[in-house]
């Protein structure tokens, strides 16, 4: 075959331009033509037929053009790839917020169920009281009327009988023999005629029920509100002179406008906003956030000294636009202040050591007073964990280490609850949903775990509280099994106590006499047992009185052998004698210093100071023995989320069950 053959209709003249065999440099516009140039203006390959259309355009050899184009593509690839870590971080953050939202929903659902169960119980109690009152009132009135009826019937019978006998005597023949009988009848009739009789009822028949239900029905109809906002930090902004200048000792004000993801202004309040004014050395300036309930907030603060400060404004733990702001505080008058452009320049958070003042508790902000004001933050979180102890840098977090993630293996937890610390350097964790107790060293090294799921003696169904007896025995409150189990220090079952008495034991502790203190969450009662199981005493009932509880959680014992109980739904801490007499009560519902949103874990240090885990505010507060607020443990770098049990380790640190984050954390503690 010939190497080259024309088609039948081809020209007889030889073609002067070589046709390119199919290949990678074929011109995309002219089939069969070889592209050997590259148009820099149009960024395309050129063959000879393309030249007229690109006559005035800059051209380079094809190889050079392709190489340049590939370099630009590589640059864009690297630029896009550099966004992957940012996307990954954002993805993690959004997933975390989604998980927090889900956890918050579950927690609020539990609160709703619990609240309405309490209302049902209170209605049932009131119903029983009314029915009992009805029976007592009816019984008293019925007794009076029935006695009068019986007396009248008796008198009626006496009169009827005497009248019948007299009529029979009168119907007979009058004679001396009947005279004696007639005299007796005459005497009897005289007595009956002169007998005093109550001819009016001794009682009335009134039994009415006054039941004012209209107001109650209206209250029930409006009972409870789900509070939220669509505000996001990335769109929200701040304005006002307080961002630009501040005079020593004079109040400065900043207005924060919250916006949704599209930039639209939010029209409602209740957003979780926090604010900090601090110097590079870490000193914090107090301030107050006012919620105007229309999507805007005002932060008012006063700086006591001159110098360079940073103002951090966060919404849901995220900096708003431009935050943190740098501001200079001077002693000159406002008229003399020269505002520098750098005054309002946003600075890098890391450069100024800003610390997050919020936490993922989200949660656990239920039950806030709508018009409540508080100092420095509206965040129900460890934002309030910024310590104010003297000579302590609040930017340096108190966290030493954390142990655990969600799971079922060693060192993993699912809804951990109670915490205990032994004198021999062990930390014990009640891993509630894994039905076991896990043991660690004070340094966080896993040692062992024990517990088998079940409802038989020696098994655990829902361990919620744990304590260590001076004998070394481990005492475990089992909420679902409704008893307290006692194990040896090696984890071997010994005995159980409280079976048949307890309804839902939550927390356990041991007093100075070796007695077991059990906080019954369901019965709202504190029980005191001997280790043998003999009940010594008990105190408490459901209610909001001083000697009552509403879902008590944990207990601790101080050096006076007094029992300190956290009263969850009453948002307070109460101190009792062993006999159940109230010694002290402190705390109220809120986010301020010394306030609680459902306190849980509690411990006492060697000086008698009381350390309390504030579940709904996701923080740890410290009080003196008289209930006066002292400080916070700084948890801002790794915020808590719904802390539960709390204890002091043998080396003087605070260990807390961070239930929402499925781990326990150990913090420095200055006693």
């Amino acid at each position: 075959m010939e190497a080259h053959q024309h088609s039948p209709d081809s020209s007889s003249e030889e073609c002067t331009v070589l046709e390119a065999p199919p290949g990678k440099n074929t011109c995309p516009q002219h089939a069969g033509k070889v592209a050997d140039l590259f148009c820099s203006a149009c960024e395309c390959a050129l063959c000879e037929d393309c030249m007229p259309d690109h006559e005035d355009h800059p051209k380079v050899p094809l190889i050079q053009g392709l190489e340049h184009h590939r370099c630009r593509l590589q640059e864009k690839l690297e630029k896009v790839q550099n966004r992957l870590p940012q996307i990954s971080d954002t993805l993690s953050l959004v997933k975390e917020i989604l998980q927090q939202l889900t956890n918050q929903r579950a927690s609020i659902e539990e609160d709703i169920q619990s609240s309405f169960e309490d209302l049902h119980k209170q209605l049932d109690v009131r119903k029983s009281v009314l029915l009992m009152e009805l029976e007592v009132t009816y019984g008293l009135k019925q007794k009076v009327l029935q006695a009068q009826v019986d007396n009248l019937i008796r008198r009626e019978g006496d009169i009827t009988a005497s009248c019948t006998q007299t009529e029979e005597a009168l119907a007979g023949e009058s004679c001396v023999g009947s005279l004696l009988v007639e005299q007796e009848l005459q005497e009897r009739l005289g007595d009956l005629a002169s007998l005093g009789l109550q001819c009016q009822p001794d009682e009335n028949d009134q039994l009415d029920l006054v039941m004012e239900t209209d107001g109650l029905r209206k209250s029930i109809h409006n009972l409870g509100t789900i509070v939220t906002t669509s505000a996001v930090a990335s769109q929200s902004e701040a304005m006002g002179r307080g961002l630009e200048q501040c005079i020593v000792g004079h109040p400065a004000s900043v207005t924060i406008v919250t916006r949704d993801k599209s930039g639209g202004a939010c029209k409602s309040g209740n957003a979780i906003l926090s604010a900090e004014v601090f110097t590079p050395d870490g000193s914090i300036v107090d301030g107050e956030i006012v919620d105007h309930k229309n999507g805007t907030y005002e932060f008012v603060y006063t700086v006591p000294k001159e110098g360079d400060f940073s103002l951090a404004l966060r919404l849901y733990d995220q900096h708003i636009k431009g935050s943190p702001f740098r501001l200079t505080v001077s002693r000159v008058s406002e008229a003399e202040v020269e505002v520098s452009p750098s005054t309002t320049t946003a600075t890098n958070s890391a450069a100024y050591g800003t610390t997050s003042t919020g936490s993922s508790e989200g949660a656990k902000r239920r039950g806030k007073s709508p018009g409540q004001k508080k100092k420095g933050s509206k965040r129900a979180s460890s934002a309030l964990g910024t310590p104010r102890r003297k000579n302590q840098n609040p930017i340096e977090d108190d966290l030493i280490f954390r142990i655990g993630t969600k799971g079922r293996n060693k060192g993993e937890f699912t809804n951990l609850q109670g915490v205990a610390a032994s004198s021999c350097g062990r930390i014990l964790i009640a891993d509630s949903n894994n039905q076991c107790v896990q043991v660690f060293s004070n340094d966080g090294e896993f040692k062992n775990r024990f517990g088998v799921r079940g409802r038989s003696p020696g098994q655990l169904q829902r361990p919620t509280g744990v304590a260590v007896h001076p004998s070394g025995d481990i005492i475990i409150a089992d909420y679902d099994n409704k008893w307290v189990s006692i194990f040896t220090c090696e984890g071997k079952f010994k005995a159980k106590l409280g079976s048949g008495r307890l309804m839902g034991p939550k927390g356990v502790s041991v007093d100075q006499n070796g007695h077991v203190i059990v906080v019954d969450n369901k019965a709202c009662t504190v029980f005191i047992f001997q280790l043998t199981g003999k009940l010594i005493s008990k105190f408490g009932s459901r209610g909001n009185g001083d000697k009552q509880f509403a879902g008590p959680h944990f207990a601790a014992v101080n050096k006076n052998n007094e029992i300190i109980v956290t009263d969850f739904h009453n948002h307070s801490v109460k101190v009792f004698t062993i006999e159940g007499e109230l010694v002290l009560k402190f705390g109220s519902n809120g986010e301020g210093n010394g306030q609680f949103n459902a306190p849980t874990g509690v411990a006492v240090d060697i000086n008698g100071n009381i350390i309390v885990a504030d579940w709904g505010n996701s923080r740890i507060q410290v009080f003196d023995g008289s209930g006066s607020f002292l400080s916070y443990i700084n948890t801002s770098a790794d915020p808590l989320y719904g802390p539960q049990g709390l204890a002091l380790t043998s080396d003087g640190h605070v260990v807390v069950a961070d239930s929402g984050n499925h781990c326990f954390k150990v913090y420095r503690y200055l006693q």
Side-chain angles (χ1 to χ4, degrees):
M1 176 180 285
E2 295 181 0
H4 180 73
Q5 183 177 350
H6 296 285
S7 60
D9 58 347
S10 62
S11 170
S12 60
E13 295 181 3
E14 289 291 336
C15 181
T16 58
V17 178
L18 293 175
E19 293 185 359
K24 57 185 179 181
N25 289 332
T26 301
C27 178
Q29 300 296 327
H30 302 93
K33 303 297 183 179
V34 175
D36 55 0
L37 292 176
F38 185 86
C39 178
S40 300
C42 302
E43 293 190 344
C44 63
L46 304 177
C47 68
E48 185 174 301
D49 291 350
C50 299
M51 298 300 287
D53 296 331
H54 299 267
E55 185 175 356
D56 297 328
H57 295 177
K59 308 173 195 64
V60 296
L62 179 63
I63 298 301
Q64 181 180 342
L66 292 177
E67 187 64 31
H68 178 71
H69 187 270
R70 176 159 290 193
C71 289
R72 294 182 61 188
L73 180 61
Q74 181 66 34
E75 290 175 358
K76 290 185 177 181
L77 173 63
E78 292 174 355
K79 187 175 181 180
V80 172
Q81 285 178 333
N82 289 337
R83 299 203 63 187
L84 288 177
Q86 179 185 3
I87 293 174
S88 178
D89 292 343
T90 305
L91 179 61
S92 298
L93 176 61
V94 174
K95 283 184 175 180
E96 180 182 355
I97 294 174
L98 178 60
Q99 183 61 51
Q100 293 167 8
L101 178 67
T102 303
N103 294 342
Q104 187 74 348
R105 173 191 173 278
S107 183
I108 292 177
E109 183 178 9
E110 181 180 341
D111 276 2
I112 292 173
Q113 295 285 1
S114 175
S115 297
F116 278 86
E117 285 175 6
D118 287 345
L119 288 174
H120 278 298
K121 289 177 182 177
Q122 292 183 28
L123 287 173
D124 287 341
V125 169
R126 184 57 186 162
K127 173 183 172 183
S128 299
V129 169
L130 284 175
L131 290 173
M132 183 180 297
E133 185 179 339
L134 174 64
E135 287 302 311
V136 170
T137 305
Y138 166 78
L140 293 173
K141 296 172 77 72
Q142 184 267 348
K143 184 177 180 180
V144 172
L145 291 172
Q146 188 62 50
Q148 187 177 15
V149 167
D150 294 343
N151 185 52
L152 290 172
I153 290 175
R154 186 170 59 255
R155 296 305 180 192
E156 182 183 36
D158 292 344
I159 292 173
T160 300
S162 297
C163 289
T164 300
Q165 291 179 7
T166 302
E167 289 172 350
E168 290 175 351
L170 292 174
E173 184 179 355
S174 178
C175 62
V176 175
S178 64
L179 180 61
L180 182 60
V181 174
E182 291 176 359
Q183 288 176 338
E184 292 178 356
L185 289 172
Q186 186 175 359
E187 183 179 352
R188 189 187 303 173
L189 289 173
D191 292 340
L192 291 173
S194 62
L195 181 66
L197 289 176
Q198 175 58 270
C199 296
Q200 296 296 326
D202 290 342
E203 254 294 358
N204 59 60
D205 63 352
Q206 183 182 12
L207 267 181
D208 294 326
L209 173 65
V210 178
M211 185 79 78
E212 297 291 344
T213 60
D214 290 344
L216 179 61
R217 292 176 191 275
K218 184 177 180 180
S219 296
I220 292 175
H221 180 75
N222 297 318
L223 182 62
T225 303
I226 304 300
V227 176
T228 188
T229 173
S230 57
V232 295
S234 61
Q235 297 293 333
S236 299
E237 53 194 355
M239 59 193 69
R241 303 188 71 177
L243 290 177
E244 302 176 349
Q245 56 187 351
C246 181
I247 308 301
V248 173
H250 291 262
S253 176
V254 175
T255 299
I256 299 100
V257 179
T258 56
R259 300 185 183 277
D260 60 25
K261 65 178 182 180
S262 301
C266 296
K267 302 298 184 182
S268 61
N270 298 300
I272 303 175
L273 186 70
S274 64
E276 284 181 329
V277 180
F278 54 90
T279 61
D281 65 6
S283 59
I284 302 294
V285 175
D286 281 334
E288 181 179 76
I289 295 176
V290 180
D291 185 351
H292 295 305
K293 300 300 180 182
N294 60 0
T296 67
Y297 304 78
E298 186 176 7
F299 176 53
V300 181
Y301 64 95
T302 302
V303 182
K305 60 183 180 180
E306 58 184 330
D308 293 326
F309 286 73
S310 288
L311 168 60
L313 299 172
R314 295 184 180 89
L315 183 67
Y316 301 108
D317 285 345
Q318 305 296 315
H319 284 284
I320 68 170
K321 283 184 178 179
S323 176
F325 303 92
R326 181 188 303 168
L327 59 100
T328 301
V329 181
S330 64
R331 293 187 179 276
V332 297
S333 65
E334 286 191 27
E336 297 173 317
V337 173
E338 178 180 351
V339 180
S340 166
S342 63
T343 306
T344 58
T345 303
T347 58
N348 182 281
S349 297
Y352 281 84
T354 57
T355 58
S356 172
T357 61
S359 87
S360 56
E361 187 288 316
K364 305 280 171 209
R365 291 179 68 248
R366 299 175 297 287
K368 303 297 184 297
S369 173
Q372 187 178 21
K373 299 178 182 179
K374 64 181 288 295
K375 288 188 175 183
S377 177
K378 282 187 67 61
R379 178 65 174 173
S381 68
S382 58
L384 300 173
T386 302
R388 286 170 171 77
R389 285 170 283 178
K390 293 182 178 180
N391 301 322
Q392 174 132 350
N393 186 344
I395 294 179
E396 181 181 353
D397 198 87
D398 289 335
L399 180 67
I400 301 175
F401 63 83
R402 60 177 284 173
I403 299 293
T405 57
K406 186 174 183 179
R408 296 190 175 276
N409 297 317
K410 297 176 181 179
E412 297 178 340
F413 307 98
T414 307
N415 190 25
L416 65 169
Q417 297 276 311
V419 176
S422 71
S423 58
C424 60
R426 293 289 184 265
I427 296 172
L428 294 86
I429 307 293
D431 191 0
S432 184
N433 288 13
N434 286 335
Q435 293 84 28
C436 69
V437 169
Q438 299 199 46
V439 184
F440 299 81
S441 70
N442 279 355
D443 296 326
E445 179 185 356
F446 176 84
K447 292 299 183 181
N448 69 294
R449 68 175 180 178
F450 61 90
V452 177
R453 179 179 181 178
R455 296 188 178 273
S456 300
Q459 296 179 321
L460 301 175
Q461 188 64 24
R462 189 181 171 191
T464 53
V466 59
V468 180
H469 194 271
S471 65
D473 288 338
I474 299 171
I475 302 165
I476 303 171
D478 195 330
Y479 191 90
D480 283 354
N481 278 334
K482 302 179 182 179
W483 64 55
V484 172
S485 296
I486 301 173
F487 292 80
T488 67
C489 58
E490 292 83 18
K492 295 182 180 180
F493 176 70
K494 292 181 66 175
K496 65 183 177 75
L497 58 85
S499 181
R501 294 183 183 272
L502 302 174
M503 297 175 61
K506 171 78 174 182
V508 287
S509 187
V510 180
D511 72 6
Q512 294 179 3
N513 299 318
H515 297 150
V516 179
I517 313 297
V518 183
V519 180
D520 194 323
N521 176 268
K522 277 191 176 180
C524 293
T525 302
V526 174
F527 291 85
I528 304 174
F529 294 94
Q530 291 182 352
L531 200 59
T532 59
K534 180 181 178 181
L535 178 65
I536 298 175
S537 64
K538 65 177 182 177
F539 59 87
S541 60
R542 180 176 295 277
N544 55 13
D546 287 345
K547 295 184 180 181
Q548 294 180 308
F549 303 105
H553 268 51
F554 293 98
V557 178
N558 64 17
K559 58 185 177 183
N560 297 325
N561 210 31
E562 295 167 336
I563 302 172
I564 305 167
V565 183
T566 53
D567 196 354
F568 191 82
H569 290 295
N570 283 331
H571 311 288
S572 60
V573 174
K574 298 175 180 178
V575 183
F576 298 88
T577 65
I578 291 294
E579 293 76 25
E581 294 300 318
L582 182 71
V583 177
L584 172 69
K585 171 187 174 183
F586 60 92
S588 60
N589 187 18
E591 302 171 0
N593 295 349
Q595 292 185 307
F596 301 109
N597 185 7
T600 47
V602 61
V604 183
D605 69 15
I606 58 176
N607 298 316
N609 297 322
I610 302 170
I611 309 162
V612 183
D614 190 354
W615 178 82
N617 287 326
S618 287
R619 61 185 179 182
I620 301 172
Q621 301 193 65
V622 184
F623 302 81
D624 66 16
S626 63
S628 297
F629 173 80
L630 294 178
S631 64
Y632 300 97
I633 290 177
N634 189 0
T635 63
S636 58
D638 187 7
L640 297 170
Y641 182 34
Q644 286 277 350
L646 180 148
L648 274 170
T649 63
S650 58
D651 52 358
H653 299 315
V654 170
V655 55
V656 61
D658 191 354
S659 186
N661 289 321
H662 306 286
C663 67
F664 72 87
K665 295 175 179 176
V666 176
Y667 293 93
R668 297 180 186 87
Y669 178 66
L670 303 179
Q671 301 192 44

